[in-house]
């Protein structure tokens, strides 16, 4: 088989790029790995644009000033967040606004590399560096009519990536000053953020993405060998899909329901295009339905509708009507997921032919270590080792947030070492508490875990260091479900 890198390079060369900058070449290679279509921008919409953030406030103010200077120029000025979500777009040229709407470069849509392939703002966010992408340098042909300059904006207090400033114009326009203007706007935005950051309360990251294309193109060969509980559920779904039946995969949040559905579909139809639709905020349901339901009619496309229990009743009824219209002789072009069979909205239940239940991770302890190795390899880029003490701790934990929590824990641990020991694991892994702790309780638990996990530490020494009696420490350990032996390497 030909090397994918060679294929990408040839494709790039064939489209008129005589001298390929290394960053652009790498971006094209990532775009292909993400599975981004070459001929169209697939809309990835979020119903939650945070217009109250400091980045939005300062960036929009700076761009309004720049817009006054460029009033007669066909240049669209944009602010995005760190994930490529377009927060605002300023432009007085009606023609370019209409054109950008057609390719979904508009507020509420994601334009990261994984969504739209190589483009200015996506490259700036991926590389955290000023980027200029001209005409044919775009991965997607829909974007060849534009030139985009983008510059990342860093949080002036933490240094974290806050978002980007993006300037887009027609490809035939002169781009000489475009990047310089974007750099000036990004610098002014960061400076204004610093001036206004004093006493500002951090806002939570906006949530509510309702539609996305599977960026990792689920590969059955990449999934580790898991327990019979998992493989049986995958086999049930696979058989049902092959028979043209509608499947609802149910289980606790984070258990891997969407991954299971995607794996079974990919195993049955390797070239199928998998999309994932998540429930929006109630006010955004109309937009949500309009955005992705036309995809159901496309050949070789399947939509996994996650968390249907969160849909308003009227939305479930409308969805049931649209699903009924696309039922055919082959595999149904949609899959549902929910927390349990009883939570599937009444309007959708008659469509479901089979419910596949995925047990929570605490009922699949044999899956913990294979998944931990899998997640670590994906995030670290190479295999890591877990010590016997770390393995025991991971296997013994209940994982109330399931595989989602395991991946978060492993990602953090693998970022610190290739050999993961108990010292690299968070305190939560050693706690058997069945309820949420207060902030003060969590701090106390973490400090106890830190003292007990030190080399050579005993309960007596830990109690002295913590300034409490041995009986008190034993009581605290019981309260937080801590086992001293699990904390030892």
């Amino acid at each position: 088989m030909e090397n994918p890198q060679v294929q990408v390079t040839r494709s790039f060369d064939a489209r008129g790029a005589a001298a390929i900058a290394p960053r652009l070449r790498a971006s094209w290679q990532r775009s292909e790995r993400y599975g981004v279509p070459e001929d169209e921008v697939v809309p990835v919409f979020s119903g939650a644009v945070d217009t109250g953030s400091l980045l939005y406030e300062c960036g929009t103010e700076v761009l309004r000033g720049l817009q006054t200077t460029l009033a007669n120029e066909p240049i669209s000025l944009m602010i995005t967040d760190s994930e490529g979500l377009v927060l605002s777009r300023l432009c007085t040229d009606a023609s370019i606004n209409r054109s950008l709407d057609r390719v979904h470069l508009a507020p509420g849509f994601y334009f990261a590399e994984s969504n739209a392939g190589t483009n200015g703002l996506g490259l700036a966010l991926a590389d955290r560096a000023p980027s200029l992408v001209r005409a044919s340098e775009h991965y997607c042909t829909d974007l060849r009519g534009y030139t985009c300059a983008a510059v990342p904006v860093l949080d002036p207090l933490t240094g974290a990536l806050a978002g980007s400033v993006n300037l887009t114009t027609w490809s035939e326009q002169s781009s000489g000053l475009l990047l310089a203007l974007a750099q000036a706007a990004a610098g002014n935005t960061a400076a204004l953020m610093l001036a206004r950051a004093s006493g500002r309360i951090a806002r939570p990251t906006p949530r509510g993405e309702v539609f996305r294309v599977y960026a990792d193109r689920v590969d059955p060969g990449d999934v580790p060998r898991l327990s019979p509980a998992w493989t049986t559920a995958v086999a049930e779904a696979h058989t049902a899909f092959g028979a043209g039946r509608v499947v609802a995969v149910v289980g606790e949040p984070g258990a891997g329901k969407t991954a299971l559905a995607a794996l079974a579909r990919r195993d049955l139809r390797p070239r199928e295009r998998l999309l994932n639709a998540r429930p929006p905020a109630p006010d955004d349901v109309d937009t949500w339905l309009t955005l992705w339901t036309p995809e159901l009619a496309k050949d070789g496309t399947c939509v996994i509708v996650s968390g249907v229990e969160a849909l308003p009743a009227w939305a479930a009824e409308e969805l049931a009507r649209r699903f009924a219209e696309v039922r055919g002789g082959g595999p149904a072009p949609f899959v549902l997921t929910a927390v349990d069979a009883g939570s599937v909205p009444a309007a959708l239940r008659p469509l479901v032919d089979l419910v596949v239940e995925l047990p929570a991770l605490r009922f699949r302890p044999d899956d913990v270590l294979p998944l931990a190795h899998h997640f670590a390899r994906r995030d670290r880029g190479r295999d890591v080792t877990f010590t016997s003490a770390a393995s025991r701790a991971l296997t013994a934990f209940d994982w109330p947030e399931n595989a989602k929590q395991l991946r978060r824990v492993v990602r953090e641990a693998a970022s610190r070492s290739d050999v993961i020991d108990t010292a690299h694991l968070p305190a939560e892994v050693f706690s058997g508490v069945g309820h949420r702790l207060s902030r003060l309780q969590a701090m106390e638990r973490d400090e106890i875990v830190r003292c007990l996990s030190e080399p050579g530490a005993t309960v007596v020494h830990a109690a002295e260091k913590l300034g409490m009696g041995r009986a008190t420490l034993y009581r605290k350990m019981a309260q937080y479900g801590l086992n001293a032996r699990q904390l030892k390497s």
Side-chain angles (χ1 to χ4, degrees):
M1 181 179 293
E2 188 174 20
N3 189 319
Q5 180 170 336
V6 175
Q7 294 177 337
V8 170
T9 301
R10 289 179 180 172
S11 176
F12 201 125
D13 288 336
R15 294 185 181 185
I20 308 171
R23 286 179 60 207
L24 286 171
R25 184 192 300 273
S27 178
W28 271 55
Q29 291 167 356
R30 290 194 298 269
S31 300
E32 181 161 274
R33 288 199 301 271
Y34 291 141
V36 176
E38 295 184 14
D39 56 350
E40 66 171 336
V41 175
V42 179
V44 182
F45 180 76
S46 173
V49 174
D50 187 4
T51 58
S53 69
L54 190 58
L55 171 67
Y56 177 92
E57 174 188 309
C58 297
T60 302
E61 184 172 330
V62 168
L63 292 189
R64 282 184 181 139
L66 182 57
Q67 183 185 28
T68 302
T69 305
L70 302 173
N72 298 319
E73 298 294 332
I75 299 177
S76 180
L77 316 174
M78 290 169 244
I79 293 291
T80 81
D81 71 6
S82 60
E83 296 182 351
L85 174 65
V86 181
L87 303 178
S88 69
R89 189 184 74 187
L90 303 176
C91 183
T92 57
D93 189 295
S95 177
I96 197 169
N97 277 334
R98 287 193 299 269
S99 180
L100 293 175
D101 284 341
R102 285 194 291 271
V103 296
H104 313 291
L105 186 47
F109 287 88
Y110 284 89
F111 235 73
E113 280 184 344
S114 57
N115 310 127
T118 303
N119 69 89
L121 74 88
L123 184 57
L125 293 173
D127 288 351
R128 296 195 175 200
S131 302
L132 180 67
V133 178
R134 302 176 181 85
S136 62
E137 294 173 342
H138 287 90
Y139 183 83
C140 179
T141 55
D142 269 359
L143 302 178
R144 300 290 168 78
Y146 311 102
T147 289
C148 303
V151 178
V153 177
L154 303 183
D155 187 299
L157 296 181
T158 66
L161 181 65
S164 74
V165 169
N166 176 50
L167 274 59
T168 297
T169 188
W170 300 117
S171 58
E172 65 268 18
Q173 294 290 118
S174 173
S175 59
L177 293 177
L178 203 63
L179 187 56
L181 288 172
Q183 287 178 298
N188 291 338
T189 297
L192 192 57
M193 289 173 67
L194 179 60
R196 296 182 180 176
S198 179
R200 190 72 175 234
I201 299 175
R203 299 176 62 87
T205 303
R207 303 180 63 86
E209 179 184 72
V210 297
F211 183 64
R212 67 182 175 89
V213 178
Y214 268 80
D216 55 5
R217 308 286 270 181
V218 180
D219 180 4
D222 186 47
V223 177
R225 181 172 296 180
L226 300 178
S227 65
W230 169 271
T231 55
T232 299
V234 173
E236 288 179 2
H238 181 278
T239 301
F241 291 147
R245 305 173 77 186
V246 174
V247 174
V249 183
V250 302
E252 292 182 3
K257 301 184 293 295
T258 303
L260 183 150
L263 180 63
R265 293 292 299 210
R266 184 68 72 210
D267 192 46
L268 178 69
R269 308 180 78 184
R271 300 182 64 84
E272 186 171 61
R273 180 170 174 250
L274 285 173
L275 309 179
N276 180 22
R278 299 179 182 276
D283 293 343
D284 297 322
V285 172
D286 276 329
T287 303
W288 183 70
L289 291 170
T290 302
L291 183 67
W292 67 266
T293 51
E295 305 292 323
L296 293 167
K298 295 183 179 180
D299 291 338
T301 296
C302 175
V303 181
I304 302 173
V305 188
S306 303
V308 293
E309 71 277 0
L311 291 174
W314 73 266
E317 292 173 359
E318 177 62 18
L319 202 54
R321 183 185 67 78
R322 300 192 189 197
F323 281 159
E325 292 175 352
V326 296
R327 288 295 302 271
F334 58 92
V335 185
L336 309 179
T337 79
V339 293
D340 54 58
S343 67
V344 176
L348 293 172
R349 289 175 197 165
L351 295 175
V352 177
D353 300 313
L354 177 69
V355 173
V356 174
E357 183 172 0
L358 177 59
L361 190 57
R362 63 181 173 278
F363 300 123
R364 299 184 281 128
D366 291 342
D367 288 345
V368 172
L369 288 180
L371 285 174
H373 282 282
H374 174 66
F375 293 149
R377 186 166 53 251
R378 286 184 60 180
D379 289 319
R380 186 74 170 177
R382 57 180 180 271
D383 289 332
V384 303
T385 301
F386 293 87
T387 66
S388 58
S391 297
R392 288 194 301 270
L394 292 174
T395 305
F397 188 52
D398 277 348
W399 300 109
E401 298 175 51
N402 292 291
K404 180 180 179 181
Q405 183 181 15
L406 174 62
R407 179 165 189 181
R408 184 180 71 245
V409 166
V410 169
R411 178 191 294 119
E412 171 62 23
S415 70
R416 300 170 61 190
S417 176
D418 284 341
V419 179
I420 298 175
D421 198 2
T422 53
H424 303 116
L425 300 176
E428 64 188 276
V429 172
F430 304 101
S431 175
V433 178
H435 61 276
R436 184 178 295 276
L437 300 178
S438 69
R439 180 175 297 182
L440 187 59
Q441 289 173 323
M443 290 175 61
E444 183 178 55
R445 177 204 61 189
D446 293 355
E447 187 64 11
I448 292 173
V449 169
R450 185 187 67 79
C451 292
L452 288 172
S453 60
E454 289 180 348
T458 65
V459 172
V460 174
H461 293 147
E464 291 176 353
K465 193 166 187 177
L466 292 165
M468 63 178 67
R470 185 169 44 176
T472 301
L473 179 54
Y474 275 121
R475 179 173 56 80
K476 293 286 185 181
M477 290 169 61
Q479 176 186 346
Y480 297 129
L482 301 176
N483 186 328
R485 287 192 297 272
Q486 287 185 355
L487 298 169
K488 301 302 179 185
S489 301

